Amino acid sequence: AAALSDIEHVRAALATGALGINLYRPDDDGPTEFRLKLYRKSDPLPLSDVLPVLENMGLRVIDEVPHRIAPGDDGPPAWIHDFGLVMRNGADIDIAAIKALFEEAFLRVWNGEMEDDRFNRLVLSAHLYWRKIVLLRAYCKFLSQAGIPFSQSYVAETLANNPGITGWLIDLFDSLFDPVRQGKQRPPAIEKQILTALDAVAALDEDRILRRYLNAVLSTLRTNFFQPDEHGAAKSYLSLKFDSAQLDELPLPRP
């Protein structure tokens, strides 16, 4: 069964030249262990390009086994890189829940459509779709410009340490701006959930960061996040308009 799956991925890689990917768990691996296969045409992948992407997603690479596959038609070879992975924090992983999210996020980073930084650990810690991570990263960059006294790495770590609140912040944003969601779940109810959860956050710095996120989402007037381009896909850029008067701790002169 594994060979048949590999053949399909190798054929696709040889036909398109695109990187193939398969996140899976062998039957004899435990709940904290899983593996990632990457399929590439012609040349092997430089490990120095792959490892930082995996580490920024909160993973530790245990081993890597390369395989060179030579097609019978004397065409270019393919390479299978098989990585053994565990979460850096030792947590269990539900492969079925995160497989599609992880594979798409990895390919988006690999293809230069998504930044490669610690925000990407939210794929596994909070089960977030890659564009929702782009949104949270954009809010972080705005808050940095507005003078929040924390590094982007620390902000990303805070969101990963509080996946429940992070998920509710995304729900709040969706309830305010997603045309499909508007009217189905009241933003004040989600805001109340977030405020209740914030009372249990022990670290003062993390509490401050999360409250700034909540305030920034509530101070957002409109966005292009849900607007498709002319081909029906998500736009390649993100716009957010804020009511500056409602933003906490924004330095003077405040627009």
Side-chain angles (χ1 to χ4, degrees):
L4 290 173
S5 174
D6 286 340
I7 288 172
E8 292 300 317
H9 283 93
V10 166
R11 281 178 172 167
L14 290 173
T16 65
L19 185 72
I21 187 169
N22 181 29
L23 190 74
Y24 71 104
R25 173 175 287 136
D27 293 338
D28 55 350
D29 278 2
T32 63
E33 303 170 296
F34 53 108
R35 301 194 70 84
L36 171 69
K37 284 183 178 177
L38 298 176
Y39 306 83
R40 193 187 197 195
K41 182 179 180 179
S42 298
D43 300 317
L45 289 168
L47 293 183
S48 59
D49 292 346
V50 179
L51 296 185
V53 180
L54 296 175
E55 290 171 354
N56 276 332
M57 298 183 86
L59 297 171
R60 179 180 288 115
V61 179
I62 303 303
D63 64 86
E64 186 268 340
V65 182
H67 304 277
R68 184 180 183 275
I69 308 299
D73 58 2
D74 296 325
W79 285 84
I80 303 175
H81 294 268
D82 193 3
F83 295 88
L85 305 171
V86 295
M87 289 288 290
R88 188 165 293 278
N89 61 8
D92 292 356
I93 285 293
D94 182 351
I95 292 293
I98 58 92
K99 176 179 170 65
L101 295 172
F102 177 92
E103 292 178 353
E104 181 162 10
F106 183 95
L107 292 176
R108 295 284 181 175
V109 173
W110 189 261
N111 293 326
E113 300 169 15
M114 181 181 180
E115 292 184 51
D116 184 17
D117 60 21
R118 291 190 179 184
F119 276 90
N120 294 342
R121 66 182 57 190
L122 293 170
V123 173
L124 299 179
S125 66
H127 295 186
L128 289 187
Y129 180 57
W130 73 276
R131 288 199 73 237
K132 299 302 175 68
I133 296 172
V134 170
L135 176 68
L136 293 171
R137 183 185 289 112
Y139 272 111
C140 174
K141 291 181 181 292
F142 172 75
L143 292 173
S144 295
Q145 293 177 357
I148 192 171
F150 304 103
S151 69
Q152 293 187 32
S153 293
Y154 186 72
V155 172
E157 184 178 342
T158 295
L159 294 175
N161 290 341
N162 299 273
I165 296 176
T166 300
W168 284 328
L169 288 168
I170 292 295
D171 281 345
L172 178 61
F173 180 88
D174 288 351
S175 70
L176 290 168
F177 301 109
D178 185 351
V180 176
R181 285 278 303 274
Q182 283 179 333
K184 294 185 178 180
Q185 189 173 13
R186 291 179 56 79
I190 305 174
E191 181 184 357
K192 184 177 180 180
Q193 285 181 309
I194 296 172
L195 291 172
T196 300
L198 283 170
D199 291 337
V201 175
L204 292 178
D205 286 345
E206 292 191 358
D207 179 88
R208 183 178 177 187
I209 288 169
L210 294 168
R211 289 182 188 275
R212 290 291 299 276
Y213 259 93
L214 173 60
N215 171 246
V217 172
L218 292 173
S219 301
T220 304
L221 294 175
R222 58 180 179 265
T223 178
N224 75 335
F225 186 84
F226 297 99
Q227 293 177 353
D229 63 16
E230 61 273 18
H231 304 295
K235 290 185 174 179
S236 60
Y237 59 92
L238 172 63
S239 300
L240 299 164
K241 182 175 181 179
F242 296 99
D243 181 354
S244 301
Q246 300 301 318
L247 288 165
D248 293 342
E249 302 182 49
L250 191 68
L252 297 175
R254 180 177 299 188

